[in-house]
Amino acid sequence: MASASARRRSNKRLNSNSKPPKASMSPSASSSGPNYRKFVMITSLSLIGSLTILFSISSISGNALVSKVQHSNVYTVEVINEFPHDPAAFTQGLLYAEDDTLYESTGLYGQSSVRKVALRSGKIKAIQKMDKSYFGEGLTLLGERLFQVTWLEKTGFIYDRNNLSKFEKFTQEMGDGWGLATDGKILFGSDGTSTLYQIDPRSLKVFQKHIVKYKGKELYNLNELEYINGEVWANVWQTDCIARISPKDGSVLAWILLPNLRKELVNAGAEGIDVLNGIAWDEKHSRIFVTGKLWPKLFEIKLHPMKTTLNVDIKKMCMLPHFQFGRS
């Protein structure tokens, strides 16, 4: 039997306060198995982190340890619309196609899938379940092909968007498979480190990479990605933050703070929700959608720059230490 520390290293995607709905539980998704990965190493770390986020946003005290962030590069969000989302979907990749259609990649061993989803109803229009040996991760759409990576594997998949049962495998060159996005020409990828990869969609070879930094400090735990108006947006794992990154040099251009979404769900009675994860961009109508793992809702949001300088410690809220994972 693996030691407790080894089990913690093998867990990647569920934080310590999250449990999947009972209907989705299976022997392969037990709390002692590799399904519950991205586990917070210490339960109190997650609780303290959440309290820190809420305190940092609401605080108006002059704490000398809290850096003042100008409103020009920090944004809050307004909810424009709410849509139903499968509460059993462990969202790992999300994208908007057209005609109110989403594609989504879900994780957990034995429960991973790629699915086509109706935005307004949340209903699954088509689904391809993955072999139980794979843990689905990031997803992006380029042309008529959906590209997907998997966790702890070098195996990726390319699906026919019109027939998800038609797919082929490829070998990816990142350290691990976490996030994918595209600008319509190349693929961008993340592996949970501070590296943003650029990948040739034809050869699937990495041809360039940048270390993502904010004020000279590396930003680790880059997760699900989306390309929006010349920027790569990244969920930062185990935070309620989205980093807006320059694909030219990896610098963080701005931050989006979204703790109120989680708070709204909890206040509405949602139980067992996991981390914020999933960004989708409707370029034609300039709509931004976000959700999370095991969240019962998907939100359309609008950004608002902070109107005043607040005592917000971005490094504490959004820049956690690098978590490393491996098989026990």
Side-chain angles (χ1 to χ4, degrees), residues 162-174:
N162 298 305
N163 184 354
L164 299 180
S165 65
K166 294 176 61 177
F167 61 89
E168 59 186 275
K169 295 181 181 179
F170 71 93
T171 300
Q172 63 91 8
E173 295 186 338
M174 298 186 292

Side-chain angles (χ1 to χ4, degrees), residues 241-312:
C241 305
I242 292 175
R244 295 169 56 176
I245 303 165
S246 168
K248 296 179 181 179
D249 59 11
S251 60
V252 176
L253 304 172
W255 293 96
I256 306 168
L257 309 181
L258 306 96
N260 286 343
L261 299 186
R262 177 192 297 275
K263 184 177 179 180
E264 177 180 325
L265 291 174
V266 171
N267 289 344
E271 297 181 354
I273 62 173
D274 206 277
V275 297
L276 177 79
N277 203 48
I279 310 166
W281 169 240
D282 174 8
E283 183 176 9
K284 182 177 180 181
H285 300 102
S286 298
R287 293 187 294 174
I288 305 167
F289 305 97
V290 296
T291 191
K293 305 175 187 194
L294 309 176
W295 283 25
K297 291 183 180 180
L298 179 142
F299 298 93
E300 179 187 348
I301 59 171
K302 181 179 180 180
L303 305 191
H304 294 286
M306 288 188 172
K307 296 180 180 179
T308 60
T309 300
L310 297 180
N311 292 323
V312 178

Side-chain angles (χ1 to χ4, degrees), residues 14-35:
L14 276 176
N15 73 29
S16 59
N17 296 317
S18 303
K19 297 179 181 179
K22 291 183 179 179
S24 67
M25 291 295 288
S26 68
S28 64
S30 67
S31 60
S32 61
N35 258 346

Side-chain angles (χ1 to χ4, degrees), residues 140 142-143 145 147 157-158 168-173 180-188 198-207:
T140 195
L142 181 57
R145 302 192 298 169
F147 294 80
F157 295 90
I158 303 173
E168 59 186 275
K169 295 181 181 179
F170 71 93
T171 300
Q172 63 91 8
E173 295 186 338
L180 281 179
T182 183
D183 63 355
K185 297 178 181 178
I186 65 172
L187 305 180
F188 297 95
Q198 295 187 21
I199 304 165
D200 185 324
R202 292 167 292 279
S203 67
L204 284 309
K205 302 291 185 182
V206 172
F207 66 89

Side-chain angles (χ1 to χ4, degrees), residues 8-81:
R8 285 194 290 268
R9 286 196 301 272
S10 71
N11 295 336
K12 178 171 177 274
R13 289 303 197 196
L14 276 176
N15 73 29
S16 59
N17 296 317
S18 303
K19 297 179 181 179
K22 291 183 179 179
S24 67
M25 291 295 288
S26 68
S28 64
S30 67
S31 60
S32 61
N35 258 346
Y36 296 110
R37 60 198 187 89
K38 276 194 174 175
F39 193 85
V40 177
M41 301 305 174
I42 302 175
T43 300
S44 59
L45 175 61
S46 178
L47 295 174
I48 292 171
S50 297
L51 291 174
T52 300
I53 290 173
L54 294 174
F55 175 78
S56 299
I57 291 177
S58 61
S59 173
I60 57 174
S61 63
N63 188 336
L65 297 178
V66 177
S67 60
K68 291 186 177 181
V69 181
Q70 298 298 323
H71 70 274
S72 58
N73 67 342
V74 179
Y75 294 81
T76 57
V77 301
E78 173 190 358
V79 174
I80 303 300
N81 283 304

